[in-house]
Amino acid sequence: MPTYILGISALYHDSAAVLLRDGEVVAAVQEERFSRLKHDPALPVRAARWCLARAGITIADVAWLVFYEKPLRKFDRILSTSVATFPKSWAAFPRHMRAWLGDKLWLRGNLCEAFGVRPDRVLFCEHHLSHAASAFFPSPHRDAAILCVDGVGEWATTSLWRGRDTAIEPVAEVRFPHSLGLYYSAITAHLGFAVNEGEFKVMGMAAYGQPRFRAEMDRLLKLDDGGFSLDLDYFAWHWHPSQAASPKLEQLLGPPRYPGTPFTPRATPEGAGEAEIAASQRYADLAATAQQQIEEAMLHLARHAKAKVGTEALCVAGGVALNSVANHRVAAEGPFANLWIQPAAGDAGGALGAALWAWHSVLGNPRGPALERADLGRDTPLDRTRELLDDLGARYEDVGDDAPERAGDDLAAGKVIGWMDGRCEWGPRALGHRSILADPRRPETRDAVNVRVKYREPFRPFAPSVVAEHADEYFDIPAASREPARFMLSTGPVRESARATLGATTHVDGTARVQVVDAGTSPRYHRVISRFGAETGVPVVLNTSFNLKGEPVVSSPVDAMASFVRSGLDLLYIDNFRVERPR
Amino acid sequence: MGVLRRMWLTVASEVSWRLPGRPQRLLAAFALAERGSMLDMLAAVEATDRRELRKKYFLHALDEGRHALVFAERVRALGQLGRAEAAIEDSGKLVEAGIVGGRTLFERLGEPEFLTFVYVAEADAVEQFRVYLDRGLPDTRTQDELRGILKEETFHVSYSRAEVDRYRKEGLPVDWWATRLRLRRLWEGWLRFSRDFGAVMSAFWLGVLYLLVMAPFRLLARLEPGGWQTPAGRPGGDPLVAARMEG
Ligand SMILES: [Fe+2]
Ligand SMILES: [Fe+2]
Ligand SMILES: [Fe+2]
């Protein structure tokens, strides 16, 4: 009987379940893909149920359930911080205590009840150790520095580790309230976006601005001695129940951007008045400054990691590791020859890390092969999908194994298609299993996808997917970025010669968040792009996640059909079925 | 139920629609409720064994999704962009409002009772929207939208009523379910009230605790400094024992 371990991350944001069979990932999926609530933080009961079903087992077969945090340490941090910020924390204290005394403090019992496990089968891994394990154990490296940078877990907000084979040793940590993740989130909120959601928008906005607020913002975040610290007077996350910034931040940076205000910087004024243009440009410049600070901070931390640990490889995890522009700079300018980042680098990935930590570090089992693919989530048998399409009266054709070539033809004919193939991706990025695909060449495609399908802010770029064989012709990918580019985790320059060609996927600053697609690990997606390349001479497609505004990425055929019908997509592929729009 | 309810709706709508800022809030709440029903209906498409109903559930879900957008658009037009965006994008709001969370309605109730629920909820919504239209609330643009929405809600009522009638003929206690669902709604309203009341009370006592008990410790506690720190030592011994610990 193999050993099954169920990893769980939950109760902050992006909860997830991961099932290991003798250390190998059988299934890994976020709860939001079942509940349809974006960033769902609830205990991932449905995700876990699906993982067990995929493995053909029941919870009774699971040896260990591993939670990705040590709840009492987190409680300790919250209590200590409330006391240390007395009396400013008067409003936050009752709120935190009610949440904890009412629910979170009884986590072991809640886990047992929700998942049906025995109390002595439940293990707890530290938050940052879960991140570290999620970055190191799935990597191909046997000796590596590990850098975790996020908002906050228990106490650590940034941590440095050394991973050697099955052991992960702590080296140093930066503690709450000093946090790069929370800093970026505070700026995200100042720029009028939702925290934990709008960080990608800030990154997109930054490309329209110049970092001309360094004098002001360097007062907020200081790099020192290999680490960093914040001037806490400007922030409120350590004492306010809901706000990240203190009134002082507004005095320093000016009024915050009102959510939903049109963004009309100088590069794309869209007929706005001078006052609006100036205001938008200011926000773009603030975004650019914060982004530059985060990039430099990550480089600074990476250099420190090199000095302290000295390995060839660096593994990175935590929410900040999803900042693909910073990742590129660490790869291109940093001291490490290899960079490895796991596709679910944020808190969802903690479920994977916690489970792998139990398998290797607690139970002492040897390492296995590296994780090379992200399609670890939900899939649907073909006959179930056929039944659904019949029931809904959909106009469809079973094209069998020709689906990738047919899709490539459709793309070459200028169609915007929904491409749902096999298992759902693990992590926030769509990597050719739940993607919207289009011709990357014309800027009009970008507008078409935005206006007809995604309804998202025009300043957010769309990503290109390129077949590995031709990646270097179009993109300047540093050697250390090869692995992150597999999971679309690094944003780098598009070659000068290719910028005009790839009009719809090249950002205003000449960069792109490219996904390099390998025939071995993504065979069907590779075929789609190859076919498009054969017809057009450009083996690159525009790839954006298959979801509508405010919704998680689609996972089931029902989700796909509902999004298809509600959007302006021309065609939908679900595995071998090519679905046309209803008449 | 009917007359009392209509009276209540009339009074409540007169009061709530006319307070400044209230229309936006109510419309945002409608957008959330519609979004929630879309999710409920899609879950039903996923879970149903009655294949002949799937398409109805699906179309119903699409209607609700569209209604959510219409209401959010009204919120935006009435000047509250942030609220409008949150109603469409923030799923935390759906959970906060108790609209979704945990098991789906379909899982909890099973198909016959789920359909009864749909019927009751849709019929009530139609009644509510009619009262608004009769009273000329809240503004002409929103009324135009409401009229459009009402047409689709009528389809939701009619197909679910047909199913409920069918179940009744089969001898299922649909009328008891309908009453129970309405009672449960009152009960949940009470629970919410007492929960909110309890929250206020516990906040008060926790506040007292904070002032009296925590204050003296203020002298001992300080925030962590910035920069790299040495991590706390890990316990030695059996790693499994340490792994079991919550702290
Ligand atoms: Fe984290
Ligand atoms: Fe509706
Ligand atoms: Fe309805």
Side-chain angles (χ1 to χ4, degrees):
Chain A
M1 171 81 186
T3 302
Y4 287 98
I5 299 177
L6 185 62
I8 297 292
S9 65
L11 304 179
Y12 190 36
H13 46 81
D14 293 300
S15 74
V18 171
L19 185 68
L20 302 183
R21 177 173 47 217
D22 287 337
E24 192 191 325
V25 183
V26 183
V29 64
Q30 287 126 282
E31 182 72 359
E32 63 163 27
R33 305 290 160 95
F34 293 89
S35 68
R36 309 306 302 154
L37 301 173
K38 202 170 190 187
H39 304 305
D40 194 350
L43 287 178
V45 176
R46 275 170 264 200
R49 197 194 300 152
W50 190 85
C51 290
L52 298 176
R54 187 69 165 62
I57 61 168
T58 69
I59 192 71
D61 301 313
V62 171
W64 304 101
L65 182 146
V66 196
F67 191 73
Y68 85 132
E69 265 179 2
K70 294 269 194 195
L72 292 184
R73 281 191 214 174
K74 194 167 183 169
F75 185 63
D76 168 57
R77 187 252 298 166
I78 287 167
L79 206 57
S80 313
T81 310
S82 293
V83 175
T85 53
F86 184 95
K88 278 201 292 192
S89 53
W90 67 272
F93 178 79
R95 187 186 283 213
H96 287 316
M97 287 309 116
R98 275 186 358 98
W100 279 85
L101 298 173
D103 187 29
K104 292 184 177 177
L105 214 45
W106 326 114
L107 185 62
R108 189 189 299 270
N110 293 346
L111 291 169
C112 292
E113 197 185 306
F115 298 101
V117 289
R118 292 208 326 256
D120 62 335
R121 302 277 98 188
V122 181
L123 308 179
F124 299 89
C125 179
E126 284 167 59
H127 186 106
H128 268 238
L129 184 51
S130 297
H131 276 313
S134 81
F136 177 61
F137 291 135
S139 81
H141 307 298
R142 291 294 186 271
D143 187 10
I146 311 168
L147 186 60
C148 306
V149 189
D150 68 355
V152 61
E154 292 96 2
W155 275 103
T157 67
T158 297
S159 59
L160 176 60
W161 313 72
R162 178 167 193 164
R164 259 186 285 210
D165 201 28
T166 62
I168 296 178
E169 295 297 328
V171 176
E173 65 187 28
V174 180
R175 296 194 193 122
F176 186 84
H178 300 272
S179 164
L180 282 180
L182 293 176
Y183 174 64
Y184 204 73
S185 294
I187 302 301
T188 300
H190 188 83
L191 293 174
F193 301 119
V195 168
N196 295 326
E197 164 71 29
E199 281 79 359
F200 295 118
K201 303 183 188 178
V202 176
M203 219 161 66
M205 206 183 232
Y208 290 84
Q210 291 302 321
R212 63 180 176 94
F213 289 104
R214 280 306 288 259
E216 290 85 349
M217 293 176 85
D218 282 347
R219 279 154 68 182
L220 306 173
L221 168 65
K222 291 186 188 70
L223 304 184
D224 44 37
D225 213 17
F228 68 91
S229 60
L230 299 174
D231 186 337
L232 295 172
D233 286 349
Y234 291 94
F235 305 104
W237 54 71
H238 49 305
W239 55 267
H240 197 279
S242 58
Q243 277 172 20
S246 83
K248 257 186 100 169
L249 191 78
E250 198 175 319
Q251 288 162 24
L252 183 72
L253 303 182
R257 177 172 167 268
Y258 189 70
T261 320
F263 178 63
T264 52
R266 299 225 180 278
T268 50
E270 321 274 342
E274 184 50 40
E276 284 83 37
I277 294 174
S280 287
Q281 192 57 48
R282 242 186 114 260
Y283 293 125
D285 294 344
L286 285 170
T289 312
Q291 176 61 31
Q292 189 187 56
Q293 283 182 302
I294 287 294
E295 291 163 22
E296 289 179 8
M298 288 301 282
L299 261 170
H300 178 75
L301 294 172
R303 290 192 182 113
H304 181 73
K306 182 75 178 178
K308 281 279 176 187
V309 180
T311 51
E312 285 301 298
L314 174 69
C315 300
V316 187
V320 180
L322 292 170
N323 193 309
S324 55
V325 182
N327 292 342
H328 170 80
R329 287 198 60 190
V330 170
E333 301 167 45
F336 289 93
N338 295 301
L339 182 63
W340 205 86
I341 307 169
Q342 187 254 129
D347 274 357
L352 174 64
L356 286 169
W357 165 77
W359 175 250
H360 295 300
S361 299
V362 179
L363 303 173
N365 291 295
R367 298 276 297 275
L371 183 81
E372 291 185 325
R373 47 202 303 164
D375 54 331
L376 303 167
R378 183 182 191 184
D379 57 359
T380 305
L382 287 177
D383 47 345
R384 286 281 297 169
T385 304
R386 190 194 306 274
E387 197 179 283
L388 174 80
L389 295 174
D390 288 337
D391 290 348
L392 298 185
R395 299 199 299 141
Y396 73 94
E397 184 188 348
D398 183 348
V399 294
D401 190 45
D402 284 341
E405 282 71 29
R406 290 290 296 273
D409 291 344
D410 288 327
L411 290 169
K415 306 276 190 234
V416 178
I417 68 173
W419 175 252
M420 165 167 169
D421 191 53
R423 300 179 70 174
C424 189
E425 294 89 350
W426 168 236
R429 301 270 83 99
L431 301 169
H433 296 275
R434 299 290 184 277
S435 292
I436 289 168
L437 306 178
D439 186 336
R441 292 171 299 171
R442 284 164 312 198
E444 307 89 78
T445 348
R446 179 175 54 204
D447 299 336
V449 177
N450 252 332
V451 173
R452 280 158 47 195
V453 189
K454 296 279 279 198
Y455 311 103
R456 70 178 196 178
E457 300 77 1
F459 58 86
R460 293 182 65 191
F462 287 116
S465 296
V466 61
V467 291
E469 299 82 338
H470 295 284
D472 293 323
E473 293 161 31
Y474 293 88
F475 306 97
D476 184 1
I477 305 170
S481 254
R482 278 277 152 189
E483 288 289 329
R486 183 202 294 275
F487 300 131
M488 210 189 255
L489 286 164
S490 119
T491 293
V494 179
R495 289 205 188 282
E496 203 80 59
S497 55
R499 285 185 193 174
T501 317
L502 302 178
T505 57
T506 303
H507 203 22
V508 278
D509 57 355
T511 64
R513 191 183 65 214
V514 61
Q515 178 198 2
V516 176
V517 180
D518 194 80
T521 50
S522 301
R524 301 236 311 171
Y525 189 39
H526 190 274
R527 280 166 58 195
V528 176
I529 308 170
S530 298
R531 179 58 165 249
F532 178 80
E535 306 233 338
T536 62
V538 180
V540 183
V541 299
L542 178 155
N543 170 13
T544 181
S545 57
F546 189 176
N547 64 314
L548 300 187
K549 197 171 174 142
E551 297 181 7
V553 175
V554 301
S555 70
S556 74
V558 172
D559 308 332
M561 280 299 290
S563 299
F564 175 52
V565 177
R566 283 182 295 153
S567 72
L569 286 171
D570 296 314
L571 283 165
L572 168 66
Y573 281 83
I574 305 179
D575 295 315
N576 290 346
F577 303 105
R578 181 179 183 274
V579 189
E580 289 180 36
R581 291 203 66 81
R583 252 194 280 267
Chain B
M1 210 92 173
V3 181
L4 267 178
R5 190 177 138 78
R6 190 152 316 130
M7 274 171 62
W8 161 247
L9 280 172
T10 309
V11 175
S13 59
E14 283 296 331
V15 175
S16 50
W17 282 114
R18 296 191 197 281
L19 290 174
R22 273 302 277 182
Q24 289 94 326
R25 245 182 235 214
L26 275 174
L27 289 165
F30 289 168
L32 278 179
E34 298 280 7
R35 231 177 112 197
S37 345
M38 177 184 79
L39 293 178
D40 285 335
M41 297 318 298
L42 286 177
V45 179
E46 204 81 73
T48 182
D49 293 323
R50 295 190 51 194
R51 293 181 57 184
E52 75 280 10
L53 283 181
R54 266 183 142 174
K55 188 164 185 180
K56 292 202 170 90
Y57 290 157
F58 187 71
L59 295 176
H60 185 163
L62 297 180
D63 287 345
E64 306 297 21
R66 202 165 43 242
H67 299 168
L69 292 178
V70 167
F71 283 124
E73 190 45 50
R74 289 308 301 148
V75 179
R76 197 189 317 271
L78 294 172
Q80 297 205 348
L81 288 79
R83 196 185 286 279
E85 208 169 86
I88 291 303
E89 294 193 39
D90 187 347
S91 48
K93 293 258 184 279
L94 284 171
V95 181
E96 268 166 44
I99 293 170
V100 292
R103 294 193 300 158
T104 65
L105 209 54
F106 194 95
E107 284 175 318
R108 263 180 290 161
L109 300 179
E111 192 143 24
E113 203 175 339
F114 169 78
L115 272 162
T116 312
F117 178 95
V118 170
Y119 168 61
V120 169
E122 295 289 340
D124 287 357
V126 164
E127 199 182 3
Q128 194 176 353
F129 289 169
R130 287 232 168 89
V131 169
Y132 297 159
L133 286 176
D134 289 348
R135 325 267 338 149
L137 290 167
D139 57 78
T140 43
R141 265 312 299 274
T142 308
Q143 281 184 57
D144 291 343
E145 300 288 14
L146 272 179
R147 254 175 233 116
I149 287 175
L150 203 52
K151 270 188 214 129
E152 291 171 339
E153 302 294 6
T154 315
F155 152 64
H156 306 162
V157 174
S158 67
Y159 92 86
S160 56
R161 183 175 38 215
E163 292 306 315
V164 169
D165 288 345
R166 225 185 58 118
Y167 285 128
R168 188 184 289 109
K169 282 206 195 88
E170 286 174 14
L172 291 177
V174 286
D175 297 302
W176 158 236
W177 286 340
T179 312
R180 195 171 63 181
L181 285 165
R182 286 202 162 97
L183 287 174
R184 190 180 298 161
R185 201 147 60 184
L186 287 176
W187 172 239
E188 276 165 3
W190 164 251
L191 277 185
R192 214 166 308 141
F193 169 75
S194 47
R195 196 191 59 199
D196 293 348
F197 184 71
V200 172
M201 288 311 288
S202 67
F204 173 77
W205 287 112
L206 285 164
V208 171
L209 178 81
Y210 177 73
L211 284 173
L212 297 182
V213 183
M214 306 303 269
F217 291 102
R218 172 70 187 89
L219 297 170
L220 303 173
R222 56 182 190 88
L223 290 173
E224 292 282 332
W228 289 112
Q229 313 289 321
T230 310
R234 265 59 179 177
D238 184 355
L240 203 51
V241 173
R244 281 209 174 94
M245 294 197 306
E246 287 168 71

